[in-house]
Amino acid sequence: HFHPDIISMEHRRLLLSVFQAFEKNPKQKIYFENVKTFQLDACLDALCEYVKSPSGLQEQLITIGMEAALGRIVAIRGKESGVHGHNLDNDLATKILIYLNRHLSEEITLDHLAEQFLLSKHYLNRVFRKAVGTTVFDYLIQKRVIYAQQLLINGCSAADAAAAAGFADYSAFYRAYKRILGHSPLMDRGVLPPVSGILDPHIAESIKVTKNV
């Protein structure tokens, strides 16, 4: 019985990971054996002592104590189930990727993502870069440029493609497009061939007659 805000943003995702299954099924109990090996009882005793501290110090000590207790629980869970922090980070990066792809055309900032995933901006970007190999912002720009390219190829105007892909500023879109693809957006506009691939001779003759008339 504690509020998640007690935990720092940087550590919240990891320290609350144990309770994810409980949130999906509240009737499920979280039970561990041999907790004395991990000195969890000492952490809980310390929390009780921190509550008695002066008000100016109490909040900071409770945060430290709560994180220590939750850290012990995560360690117990990891030892019993074989779950490691690396797997948790990969799961987080996957969730961020899914979110970015679903909201590609919307305004997305690190502040927004940090709030969405209850993490600090620094930790979120670090986990994402480790898993994907690039920053959240660079990944987002590349995905938007590729999406805009497909729209251009299908005949969409450069301005409309930029807006649909989530670029609020056309000049920023143009610079990103040239940097990533090596040429201007106009070179990709409407480059798809006719559906049949070959123009029917009768249609070609009709076009010729119309032009002559």
Side-chain angles (χ1 to χ4, degrees):
H1 299 281
F2 63 92
H3 198 281
D5 285 348
I6 294 176
I7 314 303
S8 64
M9 290 288 286
E10 186 171 357
H11 301 146
R12 194 175 299 177
R13 185 81 182 184
L14 174 62
L15 295 180
L16 299 183
S17 62
V18 175
F19 303 98
Q20 289 177 350
F22 181 76
E23 290 175 355
K24 294 177 182 177
N25 183 14
K27 294 182 179 180
Q28 179 181 344
K29 302 298 181 183
I30 299 174
Y31 177 80
F32 300 118
E33 294 183 348
N34 303 319
V35 293
K36 288 187 177 181
T37 305
F38 291 86
Q39 300 180 340
L40 180 58
D41 52 346
C43 292
L44 298 177
D45 290 340
L47 270 173
C48 293
E49 290 297 322
Y50 294 155
V51 173
K52 303 173 185 177
S53 303
S55 58
L57 189 61
Q58 185 186 85
E59 184 177 345
Q60 297 180 51
L61 289 177
I62 288 178
T63 296
I64 294 171
M66 200 68 203
E67 291 190 356
L70 291 172
R72 300 285 183 179
I73 294 174
V74 170
I76 297 171
R77 178 61 181 271
K79 187 171 183 179
E80 290 195 354
S81 63
V83 177
H84 301 287
H86 179 68
N87 294 333
L88 291 172
D89 285 351
N90 284 340
D91 289 344
L92 172 59
T94 300
K95 290 178 181 179
I96 296 172
L97 282 169
I98 292 172
Y99 183 87
L100 292 176
N101 291 330
R102 286 178 177 174
H103 301 271
L104 190 65
S105 61
E106 301 173 17
E107 182 181 357
I108 298 177
T109 64
L110 274 180
D111 287 322
H112 172 76
L113 287 175
E115 182 179 349
Q116 180 73 27
F117 290 95
L118 302 177
L119 296 168
S120 70
K121 293 185 291 183
H122 174 73
Y123 180 73
L124 184 146
N125 212 29
R126 180 160 60 86
V127 168
F128 188 88
R129 185 165 193 162
K130 184 177 180 181
V132 182
T134 187
T135 64
V136 171
F137 183 73
D138 284 344
Y139 173 83
L140 190 60
I141 293 297
Q142 289 186 40
K143 288 289 293 185
R144 284 175 170 172
V145 165
I146 297 303
Y147 177 56
Q149 184 185 39
Q150 294 304 312
L151 294 176
L152 287 166
I153 288 174
N154 283 283
C156 188
S157 70
D160 289 343
F167 287 94
D169 180 66
Y170 182 80
S171 61
F173 163 69
Y174 187 88
R175 290 194 301 270
Y177 202 99
K178 287 201 70 174
R179 176 173 60 84
I180 293 171
L181 297 179
H183 55 266
S184 75
L186 296 178
M187 291 186 65
D188 287 326
R189 188 174 178 221
V191 297
L192 280 178
V195 176
S196 62
I198 301 175
L199 190 63
D200 185 274
H202 297 290
I203 297 177
E205 186 62 26
S206 298
I207 294 173
K208 184 179 179 180
V209 170
T210 303
K211 284 184 177 179
N212 289 337
V213 172

PDB file of all heavy atoms in Angstrom, residues 179-210:
ATOM      1  N   ARG A 179      19.113  14.362 -45.813  1.00  0.00           N
ATOM      2  CA  ARG A 179      20.162  13.773 -44.974  1.00  0.00           C
ATOM      3  C   ARG A 179      20.049  12.258 -44.925  1.00  0.00           C
ATOM      4  O   ARG A 179      21.062  11.543 -44.999  1.00  0.00           O
ATOM      5  CB  ARG A 179      20.072  14.343 -43.559  1.00  0.00           C
ATOM      6  CG  ARG A 179      21.056  13.725 -42.568  1.00  0.00           C
ATOM      7  CD  ARG A 179      21.031  14.448 -41.237  1.00  0.00           C
ATOM      8  NE  ARG A 179      19.726  14.414 -40.618  1.00  0.00           N
ATOM      9  CZ  ARG A 179      19.282  13.398 -39.867  1.00  0.00           C
ATOM     10  NH1 ARG A 179      20.048  12.342 -39.666  1.00  0.00           N
ATOM     11  NH2 ARG A 179      18.076  13.446 -39.312  1.00  0.00           N
ATOM     12  N   ILE A 180      18.842  11.749 -44.841  1.00  0.00           N
ATOM     13  CA  ILE A 180      18.640  10.306 -44.681  1.00  0.00           C
ATOM     14  C   ILE A 180      18.633   9.564 -46.012  1.00  0.00           C
ATOM     15  O   ILE A 180      19.232   8.491 -46.147  1.00  0.00           O
ATOM     16  CB  ILE A 180      17.332  10.040 -43.910  1.00  0.00           C
ATOM     17  CG1 ILE A 180      17.471  10.549 -42.464  1.00  0.00           C
ATOM     18  CG2 ILE A 180      16.969   8.561 -43.915  1.00  0.00           C
ATOM     19  CD1 ILE A 180      16.177  10.543 -41.680  1.00  0.00           C
ATOM     20  N   LEU A 181      17.988  10.138 -47.033  1.00  0.00           N
ATOM     21  CA  LEU A 181      17.848   9.446 -48.322  1.00  0.00           C
ATOM     22  C   LEU A 181      18.806   9.951 -49.397  1.00  0.00           C
ATOM     23  O   LEU A 181      18.974   9.319 -50.432  1.00  0.00           O
ATOM     24  CB  LEU A 181      16.410   9.563 -48.819  1.00  0.00           C
ATOM     25  CG  LEU A 181      15.347   8.899 -47.915  1.00  0.00           C
ATOM     26  CD1 LEU A 181      13.955   9.108 -48.497  1.00  0.00           C
ATOM     27  CD2 LEU A 181      15.632   7.410 -47.746  1.00  0.00           C
ATOM     28  N   GLY A 182      19.432  11.103 -49.167  1.00  0.00           N
ATOM     29  CA  GLY A 182      20.439  11.586 -50.092  1.00  0.00           C
ATOM     30  C   GLY A 182      19.913  12.364 -51.280  1.00  0.00           C
ATOM     31  O   GLY A 182      20.675  12.722 -52.171  1.00  0.00           O
ATOM     32  N   HIS A 183      18.608  12.624 -51.330  1.00  0.00           N
ATOM     33  CA  HIS A 183      18.049  13.427 -52.416  1.00  0.00           C
ATOM     34  C   HIS A 183      16.803  14.145 -51.919  1.00  0.00           C
ATOM     35  O   HIS A 183      16.301  13.858 -50.829  1.00  0.00           O
ATOM     36  CB  HIS A 183      17.709  12.563 -53.638  1.00  0.00           C
ATOM     37  CG  HIS A 183      16.784  11.418 -53.321  1.00  0.00           C
ATOM     38  ND1 HIS A 183      17.247  10.165 -53.024  1.00  0.00           N
ATOM     39  CD2 HIS A 183      15.429  11.363 -53.231  1.00  0.00           C
ATOM     40  CE1 HIS A 183      16.228   9.359 -52.785  1.00  0.00           C
ATOM     41  NE2 HIS A 183      15.108  10.069 -52.904  1.00  0.00           N
ATOM     42  N   SER A 184      16.285  15.067 -52.730  1.00  0.00           N
ATOM     43  CA  SER A 184      15.139  15.865 -52.306  1.00  0.00           C
ATOM     44  C   SER A 184      13.857  15.048 -52.400  1.00  0.00           C
ATOM     45  O   SER A 184      13.775  14.074 -53.156  1.00  0.00           O
ATOM     46  CB  SER A 184      15.024  17.124 -53.176  1.00  0.00           C
ATOM     47  OG  SER A 184      14.524  16.779 -54.451  1.00  0.00           O
ATOM     48  N   PRO A 185      12.813  15.439 -51.672  1.00  0.00           N
ATOM     49  CA  PRO A 185      11.536  14.726 -51.733  1.00  0.00           C
ATOM     50  C   PRO A 185      10.906  14.711 -53.119  1.00  0.00           C
ATOM     51  O   PRO A 185      10.232  13.747 -53.489  1.00  0.00           O
ATOM     52  CB  PRO A 185      10.656  15.513 -50.739  1.00  0.00           C
ATOM     53  CG  PRO A 185      11.610  16.214 -49.834  1.00  0.00           C
ATOM     54  CD  PRO A 185      12.803  16.521 -50.669  1.00  0.00           C
ATOM     55  N   LEU A 186      11.135  15.768 -53.899  1.00  0.00           N
ATOM     56  CA  LEU A 186      10.503  15.873 -55.217  1.00  0.00           C
ATOM     57  C   LEU A 186      10.944  14.762 -56.163  1.00  0.00           C
ATOM     58  O   LEU A 186      10.213  14.408 -57.084  1.00  0.00           O
ATOM     59  CB  LEU A 186      10.815  17.237 -55.833  1.00  0.00           C
ATOM     60  CG  LEU A 186      10.253  18.449 -55.071  1.00  0.00           C
ATOM     61  CD1 LEU A 186      10.663  19.736 -55.752  1.00  0.00           C
ATOM     62  CD2 LEU A 186       8.744  18.356 -54.951  1.00  0.00           C
ATOM     63  N   MET A 187      12.128  14.200 -55.931  1.00  0.00           N
ATOM     64  CA  MET A 187      12.619  13.134 -56.811  1.00  0.00           C
ATOM     65  C   MET A 187      11.829  11.836 -56.648  1.00  0.00           C
ATOM     66  O   MET A 187      11.856  10.978 -57.525  1.00  0.00           O
ATOM     67  CB  MET A 187      14.101  12.862 -56.530  1.00  0.00           C
ATOM     68  CG  MET A 187      15.027  13.984 -56.959  1.00  0.00           C
ATOM     69  SD  MET A 187      16.766  13.552 -56.765  1.00  0.00           S
ATOM     70  CE  MET A 187      16.928  12.217 -57.933  1.00  0.00           C
ATOM     71  N   ASP A 188      11.125  11.686 -55.533  1.00  0.00           N
ATOM     72  CA  ASP A 188      10.381  10.450 -55.285  1.00  0.00           C
ATOM     73  C   ASP A 188       8.890  10.581 -55.554  1.00  0.00           C
ATOM     74  O   ASP A 188       8.151   9.600 -55.458  1.00  0.00           O
ATOM     75  CB  ASP A 188      10.569  10.004 -53.825  1.00  0.00           C
ATOM     76  CG  ASP A 188      11.949   9.453 -53.561  1.00  0.00           C
ATOM     77  OD1 ASP A 188      12.520   8.830 -54.473  1.00  0.00           O
ATOM     78  OD2 ASP A 188      12.473   9.644 -52.445  1.00  0.00           O
ATOM     79  N   ARG A 189       8.461  11.775 -55.904  1.00  0.00           N
ATOM     80  CA  ARG A 189       7.015  11.968 -56.050  1.00  0.00           C
ATOM     81  C   ARG A 189       6.475  11.316 -57.323  1.00  0.00           C
ATOM     82  O   ARG A 189       6.940  11.562 -58.425  1.00  0.00           O
ATOM     83  CB  ARG A 189       6.666  13.460 -56.072  1.00  0.00           C
ATOM     84  CG  ARG A 189       5.163  13.659 -56.035  1.00  0.00           C
ATOM     85  CD  ARG A 189       4.757  15.093 -55.917  1.00  0.00           C
ATOM     86  NE  ARG A 189       3.294  15.148 -55.933  1.00  0.00           N
ATOM     87  CZ  ARG A 189       2.603  16.046 -56.574  1.00  0.00           C
ATOM     88  NH1 ARG A 189       3.203  16.981 -57.251  1.00  0.00           N
ATOM     89  NH2 ARG A 189       1.293  16.028 -56.535  1.00  0.00           N
ATOM     90  N   GLY A 190       5.485  10.440 -57.141  1.00  0.00           N
ATOM     91  CA  GLY A 190       4.790   9.825 -58.268  1.00  0.00           C
ATOM     92  C   GLY A 190       5.662   8.982 -59.161  1.00  0.00           C
ATOM     93  O   GLY A 190       5.498   9.002 -60.382  1.00  0.00           O
ATOM     94  N   VAL A 191       6.594   8.213 -58.596  1.00  0.00           N
ATOM     95  CA  VAL A 191       7.485   7.412 -59.434  1.00  0.00           C
ATOM     96  C   VAL A 191       6.949   6.009 -59.686  1.00  0.00           C
ATOM     97  O   VAL A 191       7.564   5.221 -60.385  1.00  0.00           O
ATOM     98  CB  VAL A 191       8.895   7.293 -58.803  1.00  0.00           C
ATOM     99  CG1 VAL A 191       9.550   8.646 -58.707  1.00  0.00           C
ATOM    100  CG2 VAL A 191       8.831   6.621 -57.437  1.00  0.00           C
ATOM    101  N   LEU A 192       5.782   5.651 -59.138  1.00  0.00           N
ATOM    102  CA  LEU A 192       5.212   4.328 -59.388  1.00  0.00           C
ATOM    103  C   LEU A 192       4.790   4.209 -60.845  1.00  0.00           C
ATOM    104  O   LEU A 192       4.205   5.139 -61.409  1.00  0.00           O
ATOM    105  CB  LEU A 192       4.004   4.075 -58.488  1.00  0.00           C
ATOM    106  CG  LEU A 192       4.298   3.652 -57.038  1.00  0.00           C
ATOM    107  CD1 LEU A 192       2.986   3.484 -56.285  1.00  0.00           C
ATOM    108  CD2 LEU A 192       5.082   2.361 -57.007  1.00  0.00           C
ATOM    109  N   PRO A 193       5.037   3.070 -61.487  1.00  0.00           N
ATOM    110  CA  PRO A 193       4.605   2.864 -62.882  1.00  0.00           C
ATOM    111  C   PRO A 193       3.102   2.663 -62.947  1.00  0.00           C
ATOM    112  O   PRO A 193       2.458   2.450 -61.917  1.00  0.00           O
ATOM    113  CB  PRO A 193       5.346   1.581 -63.285  1.00  0.00           C
ATOM    114  CG  PRO A 193       5.520   0.848 -61.992  1.00  0.00           C
ATOM    115  CD  PRO A 193       5.730   1.910 -60.943  1.00  0.00           C
ATOM    116  N   PRO A 194       2.488   2.729 -64.149  1.00  0.00           N
ATOM    117  CA  PRO A 194       1.057   2.441 -64.287  1.00  0.00           C
ATOM    118  C   PRO A 194       0.752   1.060 -63.747  1.00  0.00           C
ATOM    119  O   PRO A 194       1.627   0.179 -63.726  1.00  0.00           O
ATOM    120  CB  PRO A 194       0.821   2.518 -65.800  1.00  0.00           C
ATOM    121  CG  PRO A 194       1.920   3.388 -66.303  1.00  0.00           C
ATOM    122  CD  PRO A 194       3.103   3.120 -65.424  1.00  0.00           C
ATOM    123  N   VAL A 195      -0.489   0.830 -63.346  1.00  0.00           N
ATOM    124  CA  VAL A 195      -0.864  -0.446 -62.729  1.00  0.00           C
ATOM    125  C   VAL A 195      -0.589  -1.616 -63.654  1.00  0.00           C
ATOM    126  O   VAL A 195      -0.082  -2.649 -63.262  1.00  0.00           O
ATOM    127  CB  VAL A 195      -2.362  -0.422 -62.332  1.00  0.00           C
ATOM    128  CG1 VAL A 195      -2.780  -1.771 -61.777  1.00  0.00           C
ATOM    129  CG2 VAL A 195      -2.616   0.677 -61.323  1.00  0.00           C
ATOM    130  N   SER A 196      -0.912  -1.482 -64.952  1.00  0.00           N
ATOM    131  CA  SER A 196      -0.718  -2.575 -65.897  1.00  0.00           C
ATOM    132  C   SER A 196       0.739  -2.719 -66.322  1.00  0.00           C
ATOM    133  O   SER A 196       1.142  -3.760 -66.818  1.00  0.00           O
ATOM    134  CB  SER A 196      -1.592  -2.352 -67.132  1.00  0.00           C
ATOM    135  OG  SER A 196      -1.189  -1.152 -67.773  1.00  0.00           O
ATOM    136  N   GLY A 197       1.501  -1.680 -66.173  1.00  0.00           N
ATOM    137  CA  GLY A 197       2.905  -1.722 -66.561  1.00  0.00           C
ATOM    138  C   GLY A 197       3.099  -1.357 -68.023  1.00  0.00           C
ATOM    139  O   GLY A 197       4.082  -0.755 -68.397  1.00  0.00           O
ATOM    140  N   ILE A 198       2.122  -1.735 -68.905  1.00  0.00           N
ATOM    141  CA  ILE A 198       2.220  -1.443 -70.343  1.00  0.00           C
ATOM    142  C   ILE A 198       0.911  -0.776 -70.781  1.00  0.00           C
ATOM    143  O   ILE A 198      -0.169  -1.278 -70.486  1.00  0.00           O
ATOM    144  CB  ILE A 198       2.440  -2.732 -71.169  1.00  0.00           C
ATOM    145  CG1 ILE A 198       3.725  -3.405 -70.697  1.00  0.00           C
ATOM    146  CG2 ILE A 198       2.484  -2.428 -72.655  1.00  0.00           C
ATOM    147  CD1 ILE A 198       3.958  -4.748 -71.363  1.00  0.00           C
ATOM    148  N   LEU A 199       1.022   0.320 -71.452  1.00  0.00           N
ATOM    149  CA  LEU A 199      -0.169   1.043 -71.902  1.00  0.00           C
ATOM    150  C   LEU A 199      -0.824   0.295 -73.057  1.00  0.00           C
ATOM    151  O   LEU A 199      -0.161  -0.114 -74.006  1.00  0.00           O
ATOM    152  CB  LEU A 199       0.227   2.456 -72.357  1.00  0.00           C
ATOM    153  CG  LEU A 199      -0.911   3.425 -72.645  1.00  0.00           C
ATOM    154  CD1 LEU A 199      -1.699   3.670 -71.363  1.00  0.00           C
ATOM    155  CD2 LEU A 199      -0.348   4.729 -73.173  1.00  0.00           C
ATOM    156  N   ASP A 200      -2.124   0.077 -72.942  1.00  0.00           N
ATOM    157  CA  ASP A 200      -2.864  -0.633 -73.982  1.00  0.00           C
ATOM    158  C   ASP A 200      -2.781   0.138 -75.305  1.00  0.00           C
ATOM    159  O   ASP A 200      -3.002   1.354 -75.333  1.00  0.00           O
ATOM    160  CB  ASP A 200      -4.337  -0.765 -73.550  1.00  0.00           C
ATOM    161  CG  ASP A 200      -5.135  -1.609 -74.523  1.00  0.00           C
ATOM    162  OD1 ASP A 200      -5.630  -1.034 -75.523  1.00  0.00           O
ATOM    163  OD2 ASP A 200      -5.253  -2.818 -74.292  1.00  0.00           O
ATOM    164  N   PRO A 201      -2.486  -0.540 -76.432  1.00  0.00           N
ATOM    165  CA  PRO A 201      -2.320   0.143 -77.731  1.00  0.00           C
ATOM    166  C   PRO A 201      -3.552   0.959 -78.141  1.00  0.00           C
ATOM    167  O   PRO A 201      -3.435   2.034 -78.721  1.00  0.00           O
ATOM    168  CB  PRO A 201      -2.092  -1.012 -78.717  1.00  0.00           C
ATOM    169  CG  PRO A 201      -1.556  -2.121 -77.863  1.00  0.00           C
ATOM    170  CD  PRO A 201      -2.220  -1.974 -76.543  1.00  0.00           C
ATOM    171  N   HIS A 202      -4.761   0.414 -77.854  1.00  0.00           N
ATOM    172  CA  HIS A 202      -5.985   1.121 -78.236  1.00  0.00           C
ATOM    173  C   HIS A 202      -6.117   2.430 -77.451  1.00  0.00           C
ATOM    174  O   HIS A 202      -6.548   3.450 -78.001  1.00  0.00           O
ATOM    175  CB  HIS A 202      -7.203   0.220 -77.981  1.00  0.00           C
ATOM    176  CG  HIS A 202      -7.186  -1.026 -78.800  1.00  0.00           C
ATOM    177  ND1 HIS A 202      -7.380  -1.023 -80.165  1.00  0.00           N
ATOM    178  CD2 HIS A 202      -6.980  -2.323 -78.436  1.00  0.00           C
ATOM    179  CE1 HIS A 202      -7.311  -2.261 -80.628  1.00  0.00           C
ATOM    180  NE2 HIS A 202      -7.071  -3.070 -79.591  1.00  0.00           N
ATOM    181  N   ILE A 203      -5.737   2.394 -76.150  1.00  0.00           N
ATOM    182  CA  ILE A 203      -5.784   3.604 -75.338  1.00  0.00           C
ATOM    183  C   ILE A 203      -4.777   4.615 -75.849  1.00  0.00           C
ATOM    184  O   ILE A 203      -5.055   5.807 -75.947  1.00  0.00           O
ATOM    185  CB  ILE A 203      -5.491   3.265 -73.854  1.00  0.00           C
ATOM    186  CG1 ILE A 203      -6.585   2.337 -73.308  1.00  0.00           C
ATOM    187  CG2 ILE A 203      -5.396   4.524 -73.010  1.00  0.00           C
ATOM    188  CD1 ILE A 203      -6.341   1.883 -71.883  1.00  0.00           C
ATOM    189  N   ALA A 204      -3.583   4.100 -76.218  1.00  0.00           N
ATOM    190  CA  ALA A 204      -2.539   4.977 -76.736  1.00  0.00           C
ATOM    191  C   ALA A 204      -2.999   5.656 -78.027  1.00  0.00           C
ATOM    192  O   ALA A 204      -2.753   6.843 -78.238  1.00  0.00           O
ATOM    193  CB  ALA A 204      -1.267   4.165 -76.990  1.00  0.00           C
ATOM    194  N   GLU A 205      -3.709   4.912 -78.891  1.00  0.00           N
ATOM    195  CA  GLU A 205      -4.197   5.486 -80.144  1.00  0.00           C
ATOM    196  C   GLU A 205      -5.252   6.564 -79.882  1.00  0.00           C
ATOM    197  O   GLU A 205      -5.277   7.604 -80.533  1.00  0.00           O
ATOM    198  CB  GLU A 205      -4.793   4.368 -81.015  1.00  0.00           C
ATOM    199  CG  GLU A 205      -5.210   4.810 -82.403  1.00  0.00           C
ATOM    200  CD  GLU A 205      -4.028   5.311 -83.216  1.00  0.00           C
ATOM    201  OE1 GLU A 205      -2.882   4.880 -82.946  1.00  0.00           O
ATOM    202  OE2 GLU A 205      -4.248   6.133 -84.120  1.00  0.00           O
ATOM    203  N   SER A 206      -6.122   6.300 -78.885  1.00  0.00           N
ATOM    204  CA  SER A 206      -7.164   7.277 -78.536  1.00  0.00           C
ATOM    205  C   SER A 206      -6.540   8.565 -78.032  1.00  0.00           C
ATOM    206  O   SER A 206      -7.000   9.664 -78.364  1.00  0.00           O
ATOM    207  CB  SER A 206      -8.079   6.690 -77.443  1.00  0.00           C
ATOM    208  OG  SER A 206      -8.731   5.525 -77.914  1.00  0.00           O
ATOM    209  N   ILE A 207      -5.478   8.432 -77.207  1.00  0.00           N
ATOM    210  CA  ILE A 207      -4.801   9.592 -76.686  1.00  0.00           C
ATOM    211  C   ILE A 207      -4.177  10.380 -77.832  1.00  0.00           C
ATOM    212  O   ILE A 207      -4.244  11.601 -77.860  1.00  0.00           O
ATOM    213  CB  ILE A 207      -3.698   9.177 -75.670  1.00  0.00           C
ATOM    214  CG1 ILE A 207      -4.364   8.554 -74.438  1.00  0.00           C
ATOM    215  CG2 ILE A 207      -2.833  10.355 -75.282  1.00  0.00           C
ATOM    216  CD1 ILE A 207      -3.363   7.971 -73.472  1.00  0.00           C
ATOM    217  N   LYS A 208      -3.597   9.649 -78.803  1.00  0.00           N
ATOM    218  CA  LYS A 208      -2.969  10.288 -79.937  1.00  0.00           C
ATOM    219  C   LYS A 208      -3.976  11.061 -80.760  1.00  0.00           C
ATOM    220  O   LYS A 208      -3.738  12.201 -81.177  1.00  0.00           O
ATOM    221  CB  LYS A 208      -2.293   9.210 -80.820  1.00  0.00           C
ATOM    222  CG  LYS A 208      -1.534   9.797 -81.986  1.00  0.00           C
ATOM    223  CD  LYS A 208      -0.867   8.673 -82.787  1.00  0.00           C
ATOM    224  CE  LYS A 208      -0.116   9.223 -83.994  1.00  0.00           C
ATOM    225  NZ  LYS A 208       0.523   8.149 -84.775  1.00  0.00           N
ATOM    226  N   VAL A 209      -5.167  10.425 -81.009  1.00  0.00           N
ATOM    227  CA  VAL A 209      -6.220  11.086 -81.794  1.00  0.00           C
ATOM    228  C   VAL A 209      -6.709  12.330 -81.058  1.00  0.00           C
ATOM    229  O   VAL A 209      -6.905  13.388 -81.659  1.00  0.00           O
ATOM    230  CB  VAL A 209      -7.394  10.097 -82.037  1.00  0.00           C
ATOM    231  CG1 VAL A 209      -8.578  10.849 -82.638  1.00  0.00           C
ATOM    232  CG2 VAL A 209      -6.947   8.980 -82.957  1.00  0.00           C
ATOM    233  N   THR A 210      -6.910  12.199 -79.740  1.00  0.00           N
ATOM    234  CA  THR A 210      -7.390  13.342 -78.958  1.00  0.00           C
ATOM    235  C   THR A 210      -6.428  14.513 -79.034  1.00  0.00           C
ATOM    236  O   THR A 210      -6.834  15.671 -79.169  1.00  0.00           O
ATOM    237  CB  THR A 210      -7.559  12.905 -77.478  1.00  0.00           C
ATOM    238  OG1 THR A 210      -8.448  11.801 -77.417  1.00  0.00           O
ATOM    239  CG2 THR A 210      -8.119  14.047 -76.650  1.00  0.00           C
TER     240      THR A 210
END
